[in-house]
Structure formats: structure tokens, C-alpha cells
Amino acid sequence: MNLVVLQNWLDNASFAILLLTMLVYWGGAAFPNLPYLAALGTAGMAIANLCMATLLGARWIEAGYFPLSNLYESLFFLTWGITTVHLIAESSSRSRLVGVVTAPVAMAIAAFATMTLPSQMQASEPLVPALKSNWLMMHVSVMMLSYSALMVGALLAIAFLVVTRGKNIQLQGSSIGTGGYRSNGYRLHKASELISQPPAPSAENNGFARFETSSNGNANTAVLNLVTTSEPQIAASAEPLSPQRLSLAETLDNISYRIIGLGFPLLTIGIIAGGVWANEAWGSYWSWDPKETWALITWLVFAAYLHARITRGWQGRRPAILASTGFVVVWVCYLGVNLLGKGLHSYGWFF
């Protein structure tokens, strides 16, 4: 089979599948009572992931080197990484809202690579001398995977801000997963117990308390019920979020933190590998190239995020805003400096 024809078919198929998958996820969010849409969205992401993996494999066989030498190849590798991290996040969180925010980004990147880039930029070309190294696979692939993870984590942080309407709410979980040092203000009661006076809702818990009800004699289920009180409430919590939104916010906050925690070590390893490769190719570990500078800025932004969560105990709105800023910084580091400026990393791109 002609590998070039196969690649052309696979990149268009990847875009079409991601477009349909995005519509399926959005339909599932609009009509949550249709359970088959969730499974269909996951299947679409998995098929698109497989198509892009096959595309990159065919490209590797055709060109004879790891397919990360130009913009077209890196865009599809980035999209493949985003879909891979998406499947991990969705499996971990059991929430289909992950696809609502990741599918449009993956589709837009595939569309840009397939329909916007000129044909000469999509064709395989011989490597420039600086790229003829085993470090190409080590450094660039790890950096692209870190971008994928950090983008997905930042997108989930943006989704958290949307779900919570930007409110500063106190979540039940903690940054390190124990929650032992936080007072979540919930009161648990069995259905058979008589509650003489309902507990006053905490402003940190958004006006909700957790009660335990029993649907049968063998199992108890903890649920969130709204607690009313005659005491005046703070204006900021006059319109409390629903229990469903609170539960979803906790899930998004937790999975965003974990995905960023996965991407940050990859970014660190990628920067170190890049420094070693730079010394081998150019005789200097660090030259303050625009790409290197923005990679350092990206590292500092997400290091601040993890420091705030692990050391300072931040959770909720403040780290979500910081992670959302990191989404823009990652895009500037990955694409902006290569499109708008010249440097040692601009070969094979627009300049």
C-alpha cells in the first residue's frame, strides 16, 4: 500500500472522527439521560487515537526517522497525546465532561494540521544535521507528551471554573488526597436517626450538608441535601451550587491536579534532555533561545501551581486560575515562539 495515500486518508479520517466525537460529547452533556452517548464518545476518542498512531507509524516507516521533525508531524503527535491523556483522565474520573473540553481542542489541532498547513509543510523531508540524533525521540517526544498532559489538566481547570461559576468554594478533598487536615463541615446521619435541629450550613460548603439515607436494609448511601437555616447568610453564598455541581467540581479539581502532576515531571525530563542535546549539537546547555526561555516560563508556572497545592494547601478557584494561565503559556511555548520569532528551534516550521 502507498504510505503517502494512507497518511492522507488517516489524517482526514482523524479530523472527521474527532469532529463527530466532539458533537457526541456535547450531545451527551446536553442530554445526560442518553447513556449510550457516553460510550460512543469514548469509542470515538479511542478510534481517533488509533488512527493517529497508525498515521505516525506510517510516517516513521516512510521517512525512516521518528516523525517529529516539522509542524505537521508535531501537531498530530500532540493530538495523539491529548487523546491518550483524555482516555486516562476519563477512565480515572468516570466523568464524560472531560471530553466536552478536550474533544474540541483535539479536533481544532487536527483541522489546523490537515486543512490549513500547505502541502509542502505536510510532506516528509530529509532531516537537517542538528536533528540527526537519537535525542530527537527522547527530547521532543517527552516534551510533546508533557504539553499534552498539561493542556488537558489546564482544560479541566477551566471546566472547573465554568462549573463553579468562578466561586471560591471549599472542596471536600485535599491536594494530597487525604483531606485529614481540612474541616469539610459535613454531618453524616442515618435515615433512622431523628434530627432535632438541622446543622447550620458552612459557607465553605456552599450551603449544603451531607446526609446518609438508606434505600434498603443492607446499604447506606451518602447524599448531599440542602440545609436551611434562619441565620443570615453571606452574600457570596446567596445562590449555592447544586449538589451535582459540587460533586462534579470536586472531580474536576482532583483529576486536573493529577494530570498536571503527570505532565510536570515529563516537562522537567524533556527540558533536561534538551539541555544535554543542545550541548551535543551546539556546544552549550542553555542559550536563552526563545523556545528555551518559554519552556522555563512554562516550568515555573506549573511548578508554582504544584507548590501552591502541595505546600500551601490551595484548592479550588485559585489554583484553577493559575492552571488556566498555564494553558496559554503552553501554547506560546509550543507554537507562538515558532510562528512569531526566530531562533534555534525554528527550523522546519514557518521561519
Side-chain angles (χ1 to χ4, degrees):
M1 179 181 291
N2 190 329
L3 293 179
V4 176
V5 175
L6 176 62
Q7 293 170 37
N8 293 334
W9 184 87
L10 286 172
D11 62 3
N12 287 282
S14 300
F15 162 69
I17 293 171
L18 287 172
L19 176 61
L20 294 175
T21 302
M22 179 191 72
L23 297 177
V24 168
Y25 274 116
W26 286 2
F31 304 99
N33 294 328
L34 300 177
Y36 65 89
L37 289 179
L40 193 60
T42 303
M45 273 292 192
I47 294 172
N49 181 276
L50 181 61
C51 286
M52 287 180 286
T54 306
L55 166 64
L56 294 171
R59 189 91 169 186
W60 195 348
I61 295 173
E62 178 206 357
Y65 55 81
F66 194 70
L68 272 176
S69 64
N70 59 24
L71 180 59
Y72 175 81
E73 294 168 353
S74 68
L75 284 171
F76 268 105
F77 192 91
L78 177 68
T79 311
W80 174 82
I82 289 175
T83 56
T84 300
V85 176
H86 159 88
L87 293 173
I88 296 173
E90 190 176 68
S91 175
S92 301
S93 65
R94 306 292 182 182
S95 174
R96 297 301 184 262
L97 187 64
V98 176
V100 175
V101 293
T102 58
V105 174
M107 185 275 298
I109 298 173
F112 177 69
T114 303
M115 298 184 292
T116 303
L117 293 182
S119 57
Q120 61 268 24
M121 294 192 65
Q122 298 183 18
S124 298
E125 296 180 356
L127 290 176
V128 298
L131 292 179
K132 294 180 180 180
S133 171
N134 292 328
W135 287 103
L136 173 65
M137 180 186 298
M138 174 61 184
H139 166 62
V140 184
S141 63
V142 173
M143 289 296 293
M144 297 302 297
L145 289 175
S146 71
Y147 292 159
S148 302
L150 295 176
M151 284 183 184
V152 172
L155 284 170
L156 295 177
I158 295 173
F160 171 87
L161 293 175
V162 173
V163 167
T164 59
R165 305 167 188 168
K167 293 182 178 180
N168 190 19
I169 63 173
Q170 176 72 22
L171 301 177
Q172 185 180 11
S174 72
S175 297
I176 56 176
T178 61
Y181 64 91
R182 297 187 190 279
S183 175
N184 55 35
Y186 288 123
R187 296 292 301 277
L188 292 174
H189 299 276
K190 294 182 179 179
S192 59
E193 292 181 351
L194 177 63
I195 305 176
S196 58
Q197 183 177 359
S202 170
E204 292 181 341
N205 288 319
N206 204 44
F208 288 86
R210 191 182 297 272
F211 291 91
E212 190 172 288
T213 60
S214 176
S215 57
N216 53 59
N218 298 324
N220 293 324
T221 304
V223 297
L224 278 171
N225 286 338
L226 178 63
V227 180
T228 58
T229 178
S230 58
E231 296 180 2
Q233 298 297 310
I234 302 175
S237 61
E239 296 181 1
L241 300 177
S242 66
Q244 293 79 11
R245 279 179 176 265
L246 284 174
S247 177
L248 182 58
E250 289 181 354
T251 300
L252 290 173
D253 180 77
N254 182 47
I255 197 65
S256 172
Y257 164 65
R258 293 178 184 275
I259 293 297
I260 291 176
L262 170 66
F264 183 76
L266 291 175
L267 179 64
T268 305
I269 296 172
I271 292 175
I272 294 173
V276 176
W277 188 14
N279 183 64
E280 179 183 295
W282 302 317
S284 174
Y285 288 100
W286 195 269
S287 58
W288 293 105
D289 180 73
K291 190 80 164 184
E292 297 172 350
T293 303
W294 277 96
L296 178 61
I297 294 173
T298 304
W299 189 90
L300 290 175
V301 168
F302 286 101
Y305 171 88
L306 293 175
H307 172 76
R309 296 209 60 149
I310 298 174
T311 305
R312 305 296 298 174
W314 283 17
Q315 62 175 355
R317 182 169 64 94
R318 290 186 296 177
I321 293 174
L322 188 57
S324 302
T325 305
F327 180 76
V328 178
V329 173
V330 169
W331 272 111
V332 173
C333 177
Y334 166 61
L335 201 57
V337 296
N338 298 88
L339 299 180
L340 302 178
K342 295 183 179 180
L344 297 173
H345 291 78
S346 295
Y347 41 72
W349 295 51
F350 283 123
F351 298 103

